[in-house]
């Protein structure tokens, strides 16, 4: 089945230690998104790629970066995680930019010690 | 700006009860509307969608009708099950030329046996 895969499902890191979260998709979609979701809140868009074009949300901290080496993979890098970065990180894809539904992965739960 | 307002939860129902979760929106143009469901520890799954006024989305016994005159997209199910316990998010997309999702705050549903 075509799908969005996130690894790992659970990630524990230490305060200030860089961490990378991975997302892959078999849908061959052009757009890939990263969301941050804190407990009992709606997902918050951090940034997205349309093909190779990177689009950062205005309020996304510089501590968060992303890479998309090819169509299938997208990475979220947190350069110096703080306690406030503990959250669920969701990857999503959509076929293109025009009103298409987004397909979400299962998420990675990040714990910062 | 565009926004989505959902009824606050938690909503607690007995099994086989009728469910309504209210969702209203404010938007310029004609958005697409979505309901997503999130089970504990999981990502978001698309439950149903509607792309134009008077469209009815339906899936797994859930229904929602795109009401332009009342700017609403209420989620309904005739008979809930314990397995429906989850958080439900209403979202819109496609206003003002943007594809980004605007989520409601989510409504937690608890169904008791």
């Amino acid at each position: 089945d075509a799908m969005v895969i996130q690894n790992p499902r659970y990630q524990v890191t230490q305060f200030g230690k860089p961490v990378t979260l991975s997302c892959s998709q078999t849908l061959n979609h052009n757009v890939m998104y990263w969301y941050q979701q804190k407990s009992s809140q709606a997902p918050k868009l951090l940034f997205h790629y349309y093909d190779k074009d990177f689009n950062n949300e205005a309020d996304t901290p510089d501590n968060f970066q992303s890479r998309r080496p090819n169509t299938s993979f997208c990475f979220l890098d947190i350069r110096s995680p703080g306690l406030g970065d503990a959250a669920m990180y969701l990857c999503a894809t959509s076929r293109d930019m025009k009103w298409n539904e987004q397909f979400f992965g299962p998420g990675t739960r990040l714990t910062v010690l | 700006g565009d926004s989505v307002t959902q009824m606050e939860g938690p909503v607690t129902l007995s099994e086989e009860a009728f469910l309504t979760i209210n969702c209203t929106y404010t938007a310029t143009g004609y958005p697409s509307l979505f309901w997503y469901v999130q089970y504990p520890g999981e990502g978001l799954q698309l439950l149903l969608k509607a792309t134009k006024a008077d469209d009815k989305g339906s899936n797994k016994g859930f229904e929602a009708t795109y009401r332009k005159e009342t700017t609403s997209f209420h989620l309904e199910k005739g008979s809930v099950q314990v397995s429906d316990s989850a958080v439900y998010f209403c979202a819109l997309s496609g206003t003002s030329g943007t594809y980004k999702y605007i989520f409601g705050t989510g409504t937690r549903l608890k169904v008791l046996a």
Side-chain angles (χ1 to χ4, degrees), chain B residues 47-96:
Chain B
L47 186 58
L48 52 84
K49 67 177 182 179
T51 58
K52 62 183 187 294
D54 299 325
D55 267 2
K56 177 185 282 188
S58 61
N59 186 26
K60 299 180 181 179
F62 291 90
E63 292 183 341
T65 301
Y66 188 162
R67 301 284 189 200
K68 185 171 180 293
E69 64 275 14
T70 55
T71 62
S72 65
F73 193 54
H74 303 322
L75 183 67
E76 297 182 335
K77 186 175 185 183
S79 176
V80 293
Q81 306 299 312
V82 173
S83 57
D84 294 326
S85 298
V87 179
Y88 293 81
F89 289 96
C90 185
L92 66 81
S93 176
T95 62
S96 305

mmCIF file of all heavy atoms in Angstrom, chain B residues 47-96:
data_model
loop_
_atom_site.group_PDB
_atom_site.id
_atom_site.type_symbol
_atom_site.label_atom_id
_atom_site.label_comp_id
_atom_site.label_asym_id
_atom_site.label_seq_id
_atom_site.Cartn_x
_atom_site.Cartn_y
_atom_site.Cartn_z
ATOM 1 N N LEU B 47 -10.892 11.278 7.511
ATOM 2 C CA LEU B 47 -12.157 10.596 7.730
ATOM 3 C C LEU B 47 -13.114 10.857 6.569
ATOM 4 O O LEU B 47 -13.713 9.939 6.034
ATOM 5 C CB LEU B 47 -12.773 11.076 9.046
ATOM 6 C CG LEU B 47 -14.028 10.384 9.537
ATOM 7 C CD1 LEU B 47 -13.815 8.896 9.710
ATOM 8 C CD2 LEU B 47 -14.491 11.017 10.850
ATOM 9 N N LEU B 48 -13.259 12.123 6.205
ATOM 10 C CA LEU B 48 -14.096 12.473 5.062
ATOM 11 C C LEU B 48 -13.775 13.889 4.626
ATOM 12 O O LEU B 48 -13.118 14.638 5.346
ATOM 13 C CB LEU B 48 -15.582 12.316 5.395
ATOM 14 C CG LEU B 48 -16.109 12.998 6.645
ATOM 15 C CD1 LEU B 48 -16.458 14.448 6.392
ATOM 16 C CD2 LEU B 48 -17.340 12.258 7.176
ATOM 17 N N LYS B 49 -14.265 14.238 3.445
ATOM 18 C CA LYS B 49 -14.001 15.572 2.928
ATOM 19 C C LYS B 49 -15.155 16.020 2.032
ATOM 20 O O LYS B 49 -15.969 15.196 1.581
ATOM 21 C CB LYS B 49 -12.700 15.607 2.135
ATOM 22 C CG LYS B 49 -12.751 14.796 0.854
ATOM 23 C CD LYS B 49 -11.443 14.920 0.075
ATOM 24 C CE LYS B 49 -11.516 14.147 -1.229
ATOM 25 N NZ LYS B 49 -10.258 14.259 -2.021
ATOM 26 N N ALA B 50 -15.202 17.326 1.774
ATOM 27 C CA ALA B 50 -16.165 17.895 0.832
ATOM 28 C C ALA B 50 -15.496 19.094 0.170
ATOM 29 O O ALA B 50 -14.814 19.876 0.836
ATOM 30 C CB ALA B 50 -17.442 18.315 1.541
ATOM 31 N N THR B 51 -15.676 19.226 -1.107
ATOM 32 C CA THR B 51 -14.938 20.255 -1.838
ATOM 33 C C THR B 51 -15.811 21.405 -2.321
ATOM 34 O O THR B 51 -15.293 22.419 -2.772
ATOM 35 C CB THR B 51 -14.200 19.643 -3.036
ATOM 36 O OG1 THR B 51 -15.163 18.997 -3.869
ATOM 37 C CG2 THR B 51 -13.156 18.639 -2.578
ATOM 38 N N LYS B 52 -17.123 21.264 -2.245
ATOM 39 C CA LYS B 52 -17.978 22.385 -2.661
ATOM 40 C C LYS B 52 -19.274 22.353 -1.872
ATOM 41 O O LYS B 52 -19.643 21.355 -1.258
ATOM 42 C CB LYS B 52 -18.245 22.332 -4.158
ATOM 43 C CG LYS B 52 -18.968 21.116 -4.645
ATOM 44 C CD LYS B 52 -19.104 21.175 -6.170
ATOM 45 C CE LYS B 52 -19.967 20.047 -6.692
ATOM 46 N NZ LYS B 52 -19.345 18.726 -6.479
ATOM 47 N N ALA B 53 -19.973 23.461 -1.933
ATOM 48 C CA ALA B 53 -21.203 23.631 -1.167
ATOM 49 C C ALA B 53 -22.208 22.524 -1.483
ATOM 50 O O ALA B 53 -22.349 22.097 -2.635
ATOM 51 C CB ALA B 53 -21.817 24.994 -1.466
ATOM 52 N N ASP B 54 -22.851 22.041 -0.418
ATOM 53 C CA ASP B 54 -23.876 20.996 -0.456
ATOM 54 C C ASP B 54 -23.322 19.602 -0.665
ATOM 55 O O ASP B 54 -24.094 18.633 -0.638
ATOM 56 C CB ASP B 54 -24.949 21.290 -1.512
ATOM 57 C CG ASP B 54 -25.674 22.594 -1.242
ATOM 58 O OD1 ASP B 54 -25.879 22.928 -0.064
ATOM 59 O OD2 ASP B 54 -26.009 23.289 -2.217
ATOM 60 N N ASP B 55 -22.016 19.481 -0.844
ATOM 61 C CA ASP B 55 -21.399 18.153 -0.893
ATOM 62 C C ASP B 55 -21.563 17.483 0.462
ATOM 63 O O ASP B 55 -21.441 18.116 1.509
ATOM 64 C CB ASP B 55 -19.904 18.265 -1.189
ATOM 65 C CG ASP B 55 -19.601 18.165 -2.663
ATOM 66 O OD1 ASP B 55 -20.545 18.041 -3.468
ATOM 67 O OD2 ASP B 55 -18.401 18.204 -3.006
ATOM 68 N N LYS B 56 -21.787 16.186 0.443
ATOM 69 C CA LYS B 56 -21.799 15.406 1.676
ATOM 70 C C LYS B 56 -20.653 14.413 1.619
ATOM 71 O O LYS B 56 -20.577 13.599 0.691
ATOM 72 C CB LYS B 56 -23.118 14.660 1.843
ATOM 73 C CG LYS B 56 -23.146 13.769 3.089
ATOM 74 C CD LYS B 56 -24.416 12.936 3.190
ATOM 75 C CE LYS B 56 -25.579 13.741 3.686
ATOM 76 N NZ LYS B 56 -26.769 12.896 3.963
ATOM 77 N N GLY B 57 -19.782 14.486 2.611
ATOM 78 C CA GLY B 57 -18.732 13.483 2.754
ATOM 79 C C GLY B 57 -19.211 12.409 3.707
ATOM 80 O O GLY B 57 -19.922 12.689 4.665
ATOM 81 N N SER B 58 -18.802 11.169 3.438
ATOM 82 C CA SER B 58 -19.206 10.090 4.326
ATOM 83 C C SER B 58 -18.168 8.987 4.318
ATOM 84 O O SER B 58 -17.499 8.735 3.304
ATOM 85 C CB SER B 58 -20.566 9.525 3.917
ATOM 86 O OG SER B 58 -20.508 8.993 2.619
ATOM 87 N N ASN B 59 -18.036 8.332 5.469
ATOM 88 C CA ASN B 59 -17.071 7.249 5.603
ATOM 89 C C ASN B 59 -17.283 6.582 6.949
ATOM 90 O O ASN B 59 -17.439 7.264 7.972
ATOM 91 C CB ASN B 59 -15.641 7.793 5.507
ATOM 92 C CG ASN B 59 -14.591 6.699 5.502
ATOM 93 O OD1 ASN B 59 -14.848 5.570 5.103
ATOM 94 N ND2 ASN B 59 -13.390 7.031 5.950
ATOM 95 N N LYS B 60 -17.290 5.280 6.984
ATOM 96 C CA LYS B 60 -17.375 4.497 8.220
ATOM 97 C C LYS B 60 -18.564 4.912 9.092
ATOM 98 O O LYS B 60 -18.473 4.882 10.321
ATOM 99 C CB LYS B 60 -16.077 4.643 9.028
ATOM 100 C CG LYS B 60 -14.843 4.153 8.304
ATOM 101 C CD LYS B 60 -13.606 4.334 9.165
ATOM 102 C CE LYS B 60 -12.376 3.870 8.429
ATOM 103 N NZ LYS B 60 -11.142 4.061 9.239
ATOM 104 N N GLY B 61 -19.656 5.303 8.482
ATOM 105 C CA GLY B 61 -20.839 5.694 9.239
ATOM 106 C C GLY B 61 -20.864 7.157 9.632
ATOM 107 O O GLY B 61 -21.875 7.652 10.129
ATOM 108 N N PHE B 62 -19.749 7.870 9.422
ATOM 109 C CA PHE B 62 -19.694 9.303 9.701
ATOM 110 C C PHE B 62 -20.141 10.077 8.457
ATOM 111 O O PHE B 62 -19.883 9.664 7.330
ATOM 112 C CB PHE B 62 -18.267 9.731 10.059
ATOM 113 C CG PHE B 62 -17.791 9.218 11.385
ATOM 114 C CD1 PHE B 62 -17.145 7.992 11.474
ATOM 115 C CD2 PHE B 62 -17.959 9.961 12.535
ATOM 116 C CE1 PHE B 62 -16.690 7.511 12.691
ATOM 117 C CE2 PHE B 62 -17.500 9.500 13.768
ATOM 118 C CZ PHE B 62 -16.876 8.273 13.837
ATOM 119 N N GLU B 63 -20.789 11.217 8.702
ATOM 120 C CA GLU B 63 -21.213 12.078 7.606
ATOM 121 C C GLU B 63 -20.997 13.542 7.992
ATOM 122 O O GLU B 63 -21.059 13.888 9.179
ATOM 123 C CB GLU B 63 -22.706 11.906 7.311
ATOM 124 C CG GLU B 63 -23.095 10.575 6.750
ATOM 125 C CD GLU B 63 -24.575 10.519 6.419
ATOM 126 O OE1 GLU B 63 -25.336 11.360 6.944
ATOM 127 O OE2 GLU B 63 -24.974 9.653 5.630
ATOM 128 N N ALA B 64 -20.792 14.373 6.971
ATOM 129 C CA ALA B 64 -20.753 15.816 7.186
ATOM 130 C C ALA B 64 -21.145 16.484 5.884
ATOM 131 O O ALA B 64 -20.724 16.040 4.806
ATOM 132 C CB ALA B 64 -19.369 16.283 7.628
ATOM 133 N N THR B 65 -21.944 17.532 5.979
ATOM 134 C CA THR B 65 -22.406 18.249 4.794
ATOM 135 C C THR B 65 -21.860 19.666 4.788
ATOM 136 O O THR B 65 -21.938 20.375 5.803
ATOM 137 C CB THR B 65 -23.940 18.291 4.745
ATOM 138 O OG1 THR B 65 -24.436 16.948 4.723
ATOM 139 C CG2 THR B 65 -24.419 19.015 3.495
ATOM 140 N N TYR B 66 -21.328 20.072 3.673
ATOM 141 C CA TYR B 66 -20.740 21.401 3.477
ATOM 142 C C TYR B 66 -21.901 22.387 3.313
ATOM 143 O O TYR B 66 -22.562 22.436 2.277
ATOM 144 C CB TYR B 66 -19.873 21.351 2.227
ATOM 145 C CG TYR B 66 -19.012 22.532 1.904
ATOM 146 C CD1 TYR B 66 -17.953 22.381 1.007
ATOM 147 C CD2 TYR B 66 -19.225 23.799 2.416
ATOM 148 C CE1 TYR B 66 -17.125 23.438 0.665
ATOM 149 C CE2 TYR B 66 -18.424 24.862 2.071
ATOM 150 C CZ TYR B 66 -17.376 24.673 1.197
ATOM 151 O OH TYR B 66 -16.564 25.732 0.840
ATOM 152 N N ARG B 67 -22.125 23.207 4.348
ATOM 153 C CA ARG B 67 -23.212 24.169 4.341
ATOM 154 C C ARG B 67 -22.633 25.570 4.194
ATOM 155 O O ARG B 67 -22.143 26.156 5.157
ATOM 156 C CB ARG B 67 -24.014 24.087 5.645
ATOM 157 C CG ARG B 67 -24.612 22.734 5.928
ATOM 158 C CD ARG B 67 -25.816 22.470 5.100
ATOM 159 N NE ARG B 67 -26.507 21.239 5.524
ATOM 160 C CZ ARG B 67 -27.348 20.579 4.758
ATOM 161 N NH1 ARG B 67 -27.590 20.975 3.513
ATOM 162 N NH2 ARG B 67 -27.955 19.498 5.222
ATOM 163 N N LYS B 68 -22.710 26.097 2.996
ATOM 164 C CA LYS B 68 -22.134 27.424 2.749
ATOM 165 C C LYS B 68 -22.944 28.510 3.445
ATOM 166 O O LYS B 68 -22.400 29.496 3.951
ATOM 167 C CB LYS B 68 -22.067 27.670 1.243
ATOM 168 C CG LYS B 68 -21.379 28.963 0.842
ATOM 169 C CD LYS B 68 -21.177 29.009 -0.662
ATOM 170 C CE LYS B 68 -20.496 30.305 -1.079
ATOM 171 N NZ LYS B 68 -21.350 31.474 -0.846
ATOM 172 N N GLU B 69 -24.264 28.339 3.495
ATOM 173 C CA GLU B 69 -25.114 29.400 4.052
ATOM 174 C C GLU B 69 -24.892 29.586 5.548
ATOM 175 O O GLU B 69 -25.040 30.699 6.062
ATOM 176 C CB GLU B 69 -26.590 29.092 3.761
ATOM 177 C CG GLU B 69 -27.123 27.846 4.406
ATOM 178 C CD GLU B 69 -26.853 26.581 3.598
ATOM 179 O OE1 GLU B 69 -26.025 26.622 2.663
ATOM 180 O OE2 GLU B 69 -27.456 25.539 3.939
ATOM 181 N N THR B 70 -24.501 28.496 6.221
ATOM 182 C CA THR B 70 -24.222 28.594 7.654
ATOM 183 C C THR B 70 -22.730 28.445 7.953
ATOM 184 O O THR B 70 -22.340 28.415 9.125
ATOM 185 C CB THR B 70 -24.989 27.514 8.440
ATOM 186 O OG1 THR B 70 -24.671 26.229 7.893
ATOM 187 C CG2 THR B 70 -26.491 27.748 8.363
ATOM 188 N N THR B 71 -21.917 28.366 6.931
ATOM 189 C CA THR B 71 -20.458 28.139 7.040
ATOM 190 C C THR B 71 -20.156 27.055 8.058
ATOM 191 O O THR B 71 -19.386 27.250 9.017
ATOM 192 C CB THR B 71 -19.684 29.434 7.360
ATOM 193 O OG1 THR B 71 -20.104 29.964 8.630
ATOM 194 C CG2 THR B 71 -19.888 30.466 6.279
ATOM 195 N N SER B 72 -20.768 25.892 7.837
ATOM 196 C CA SER B 72 -20.608 24.812 8.800
ATOM 197 C C SER B 72 -20.296 23.494 8.106
ATOM 198 O O SER B 72 -20.573 23.322 6.903
ATOM 199 C CB SER B 72 -21.875 24.659 9.647
ATOM 200 O OG SER B 72 -22.957 24.258 8.829
ATOM 201 N N PHE B 73 -19.718 22.590 8.884
ATOM 202 C CA PHE B 73 -19.361 21.255 8.377
ATOM 203 C C PHE B 73 -19.411 20.313 9.573
ATOM 204 O O PHE B 73 -18.426 19.734 9.986
ATOM 205 C CB PHE B 73 -17.970 21.298 7.741
ATOM 206 C CG PHE B 73 -17.604 20.090 6.919
ATOM 207 C CD1 PHE B 73 -18.408 19.640 5.887
ATOM 208 C CD2 PHE B 73 -16.398 19.427 7.151
ATOM 209 C CE1 PHE B 73 -18.058 18.549 5.115
ATOM 210 C CE2 PHE B 73 -16.025 18.329 6.378
ATOM 211 C CZ PHE B 73 -16.861 17.893 5.362
ATOM 212 N N HIS B 74 -20.591 20.132 10.127
ATOM 213 C CA HIS B 74 -20.752 19.363 11.358
ATOM 214 C C HIS B 74 -20.603 17.868 11.089
ATOM 215 O O HIS B 74 -21.169 17.335 10.118
ATOM 216 C CB HIS B 74 -22.122 19.622 11.972
ATOM 217 C CG HIS B 74 -22.393 21.071 12.263
ATOM 218 N ND1 HIS B 74 -21.436 21.936 12.740
ATOM 219 C CD2 HIS B 74 -23.542 21.800 12.129
ATOM 220 C CE1 HIS B 74 -21.961 23.136 12.896
ATOM 221 N NE2 HIS B 74 -23.249 23.090 12.526
ATOM 222 N N LEU B 75 -19.911 17.188 11.981
ATOM 223 C CA LEU B 75 -19.697 15.748 11.860
ATOM 224 C C LEU B 75 -20.790 15.010 12.621
ATOM 225 O O LEU B 75 -21.082 15.350 13.777
ATOM 226 C CB LEU B 75 -18.323 15.380 12.426
ATOM 227 C CG LEU B 75 -17.915 13.912 12.321
ATOM 228 C CD1 LEU B 75 -17.705 13.507 10.868
ATOM 229 C CD2 LEU B 75 -16.649 13.640 13.143
ATOM 230 N N GLU B 76 -21.360 13.973 12.000
ATOM 231 C CA GLU B 76 -22.423 13.210 12.636
ATOM 232 C C GLU B 76 -22.199 11.718 12.431
ATOM 233 O O GLU B 76 -21.637 11.291 11.427
ATOM 234 C CB GLU B 76 -23.799 13.589 12.052
ATOM 235 C CG GLU B 76 -24.202 15.025 12.293
ATOM 236 C CD GLU B 76 -25.569 15.355 11.741
ATOM 237 O OE1 GLU B 76 -26.004 14.667 10.799
ATOM 238 O OE2 GLU B 76 -26.206 16.287 12.250
ATOM 239 N N LYS B 77 -22.675 10.959 13.418
ATOM 240 C CA LYS B 77 -22.715 9.509 13.284
ATOM 241 C C LYS B 77 -23.928 9.022 14.068
ATOM 242 O O LYS B 77 -24.151 9.438 15.199
ATOM 243 C CB LYS B 77 -21.448 8.845 13.802
ATOM 244 C CG LYS B 77 -21.420 7.341 13.522
ATOM 245 C CD LYS B 77 -20.118 6.689 13.935
ATOM 246 C CE LYS B 77 -20.102 5.217 13.510
ATOM 247 N NZ LYS B 77 -18.895 4.486 13.942
ATOM 248 N N GLY B 78 -24.647 8.113 13.466
ATOM 249 C CA GLY B 78 -25.900 7.688 14.068
ATOM 250 C C GLY B 78 -25.741 6.820 15.303
ATOM 251 O O GLY B 78 -26.582 6.843 16.213
ATOM 252 N N SER B 79 -24.659 6.035 15.364
ATOM 253 C CA SER B 79 -24.504 5.083 16.464
ATOM 254 C C SER B 79 -23.007 4.880 16.699
ATOM 255 O O SER B 79 -22.357 4.177 15.932
ATOM 256 C CB SER B 79 -25.181 3.756 16.110
ATOM 257 O OG SER B 79 -24.957 2.797 17.125
ATOM 258 N N VAL B 80 -22.505 5.492 17.751
ATOM 259 C CA VAL B 80 -21.058 5.425 17.982
ATOM 260 C C VAL B 80 -20.678 4.133 18.695
ATOM 261 O O VAL B 80 -21.493 3.532 19.410
ATOM 262 C CB VAL B 80 -20.555 6.646 18.792
ATOM 263 C CG1 VAL B 80 -20.695 7.921 17.990
ATOM 264 C CG2 VAL B 80 -21.267 6.744 20.139
ATOM 265 N N GLN B 81 -19.420 3.759 18.493
ATOM 266 C CA GLN B 81 -18.852 2.584 19.128
ATOM 267 C C GLN B 81 -17.668 2.997 19.996
ATOM 268 O O GLN B 81 -17.099 4.083 19.803
ATOM 269 C CB GLN B 81 -18.397 1.581 18.068
ATOM 270 C CG GLN B 81 -19.465 1.197 17.072
ATOM 271 C CD GLN B 81 -20.653 0.539 17.747
ATOM 272 O OE1 GLN B 81 -20.474 -0.368 18.575
ATOM 273 N NE2 GLN B 81 -21.866 0.981 17.427
ATOM 274 N N VAL B 82 -17.308 2.115 20.913
ATOM 275 C CA VAL B 82 -16.153 2.401 21.765
ATOM 276 C C VAL B 82 -14.921 2.691 20.924
ATOM 277 O O VAL B 82 -14.101 3.562 21.253
ATOM 278 C CB VAL B 82 -15.894 1.237 22.748
ATOM 279 C CG1 VAL B 82 -14.598 1.446 23.511
ATOM 280 C CG2 VAL B 82 -17.068 1.084 23.714
ATOM 281 N N SER B 83 -14.807 2.003 19.809
ATOM 282 C CA SER B 83 -13.645 2.166 18.930
ATOM 283 C C SER B 83 -13.599 3.528 18.242
ATOM 284 O O SER B 83 -12.574 3.879 17.624
ATOM 285 C CB SER B 83 -13.619 1.071 17.866
ATOM 286 O OG SER B 83 -14.827 1.095 17.120
ATOM 287 N N ASP B 84 -14.649 4.301 18.340
ATOM 288 C CA ASP B 84 -14.649 5.663 17.771
ATOM 289 C C ASP B 84 -13.992 6.671 18.697
ATOM 290 O O ASP B 84 -13.818 7.850 18.325
ATOM 291 C CB ASP B 84 -16.079 6.119 17.467
ATOM 292 C CG ASP B 84 -16.737 5.312 16.375
ATOM 293 O OD1 ASP B 84 -16.018 4.879 15.441
ATOM 294 O OD2 ASP B 84 -17.960 5.089 16.452
ATOM 295 N N SER B 85 -13.638 6.258 19.880
ATOM 296 C CA SER B 85 -12.980 7.158 20.836
ATOM 297 C C SER B 85 -11.665 7.645 20.243
ATOM 298 O O SER B 85 -10.777 6.851 19.905
ATOM 299 C CB SER B 85 -12.724 6.431 22.157
ATOM 300 O OG SER B 85 -13.935 6.027 22.751
ATOM 301 N N ALA B 86 -11.536 8.948 20.103
ATOM 302 C CA ALA B 86 -10.386 9.544 19.422
ATOM 303 C C ALA B 86 -10.543 11.059 19.497
ATOM 304 O O ALA B 86 -11.500 11.577 20.063
ATOM 305 C CB ALA B 86 -10.329 9.099 17.959
ATOM 306 N N VAL B 87 -9.592 11.755 18.883
ATOM 307 C CA VAL B 87 -9.707 13.204 18.723
ATOM 308 C C VAL B 87 -10.051 13.491 17.268
ATOM 309 O O VAL B 87 -9.435 12.925 16.355
ATOM 310 C CB VAL B 87 -8.403 13.929 19.119
ATOM 311 C CG1 VAL B 87 -8.556 15.438 18.924
ATOM 312 C CG2 VAL B 87 -8.046 13.621 20.566
ATOM 313 N N TYR B 88 -11.010 14.356 17.047
ATOM 314 C CA TYR B 88 -11.482 14.692 15.712
ATOM 315 C C TYR B 88 -11.129 16.144 15.396
ATOM 316 O O TYR B 88 -11.427 17.051 16.176
ATOM 317 C CB TYR B 88 -12.993 14.458 15.613
ATOM 318 C CG TYR B 88 -13.343 12.986 15.711
ATOM 319 C CD1 TYR B 88 -13.413 12.356 16.950
ATOM 320 C CD2 TYR B 88 -13.556 12.219 14.573
ATOM 321 C CE1 TYR B 88 -13.691 11.005 17.054
ATOM 322 C CE2 TYR B 88 -13.845 10.861 14.668
ATOM 323 C CZ TYR B 88 -13.904 10.265 15.902
ATOM 324 O OH TYR B 88 -14.180 8.921 16.001
ATOM 325 N N PHE B 89 -10.492 16.332 14.236
ATOM 326 C CA PHE B 89 -10.082 17.663 13.794
ATOM 327 C C PHE B 89 -10.835 18.040 12.529
ATOM 328 O O PHE B 89 -10.860 17.283 11.563
ATOM 329 C CB PHE B 89 -8.581 17.703 13.483
ATOM 330 C CG PHE B 89 -7.693 17.621 14.690
ATOM 331 C CD1 PHE B 89 -7.164 16.405 15.092
ATOM 332 C CD2 PHE B 89 -7.385 18.761 15.416
ATOM 333 C CE1 PHE B 89 -6.331 16.324 16.197
ATOM 334 C CE2 PHE B 89 -6.552 18.688 16.530
ATOM 335 C CZ PHE B 89 -6.033 17.463 16.919
ATOM 336 N N CYS B 90 -11.402 19.225 12.550
ATOM 337 C CA CYS B 90 -11.979 19.828 11.359
ATOM 338 C C CYS B 90 -10.914 20.726 10.740
ATOM 339 O O CYS B 90 -10.140 21.373 11.464
ATOM 340 C CB CYS B 90 -13.207 20.645 11.772
ATOM 341 S SG CYS B 90 -14.137 21.369 10.421
ATOM 342 N N ALA B 91 -10.842 20.768 9.428
ATOM 343 C CA ALA B 91 -9.828 21.583 8.765
ATOM 344 C C ALA B 91 -10.369 22.132 7.455
ATOM 345 O O ALA B 91 -11.267 21.540 6.849
ATOM 346 C CB ALA B 91 -8.562 20.754 8.505
ATOM 347 N N LEU B 92 -9.817 23.244 7.040
ATOM 348 C CA LEU B 92 -10.132 23.786 5.721
ATOM 349 C C LEU B 92 -8.848 24.045 4.958
ATOM 350 O O LEU B 92 -7.778 24.200 5.528
ATOM 351 C CB LEU B 92 -10.987 25.043 5.814
ATOM 352 C CG LEU B 92 -10.440 26.322 6.429
ATOM 353 C CD1 LEU B 92 -9.567 27.121 5.444
ATOM 354 C CD2 LEU B 92 -11.602 27.216 6.874
ATOM 355 N N SER B 93 -9.004 24.108 3.653
ATOM 356 C CA SER B 93 -7.857 24.344 2.782
ATOM 357 C C SER B 93 -8.350 24.993 1.510
ATOM 358 O O SER B 93 -9.493 24.814 1.107
ATOM 359 C CB SER B 93 -7.170 23.018 2.457
ATOM 360 O OG SER B 93 -6.109 23.203 1.554
ATOM 361 N N GLY B 94 -7.445 25.739 0.879
ATOM 362 C CA GLY B 94 -7.747 26.227 -0.456
ATOM 363 C C GLY B 94 -8.357 27.602 -0.514
ATOM 364 O O GLY B 94 -8.953 27.980 -1.517
ATOM 365 N N THR B 95 -8.197 28.390 0.554
ATOM 366 C CA THR B 95 -8.695 29.760 0.500
ATOM 367 C C THR B 95 -7.554 30.714 0.160
ATOM 368 O O THR B 95 -6.405 30.441 0.467
ATOM 369 C CB THR B 95 -9.304 30.185 1.838
ATOM 370 O OG1 THR B 95 -8.287 30.154 2.844
ATOM 371 C CG2 THR B 95 -10.422 29.251 2.235
ATOM 372 N N SER B 96 -7.927 31.805 -0.450
ATOM 373 C CA SER B 96 -6.939 32.848 -0.775
ATOM 374 C C SER B 96 -5.755 32.279 -1.535
ATOM 375 O O SER B 96 -4.617 32.733 -1.361
ATOM 376 C CB SER B 96 -6.451 33.548 0.509
ATOM 377 O OG SER B 96 -7.540 34.055 1.239
#
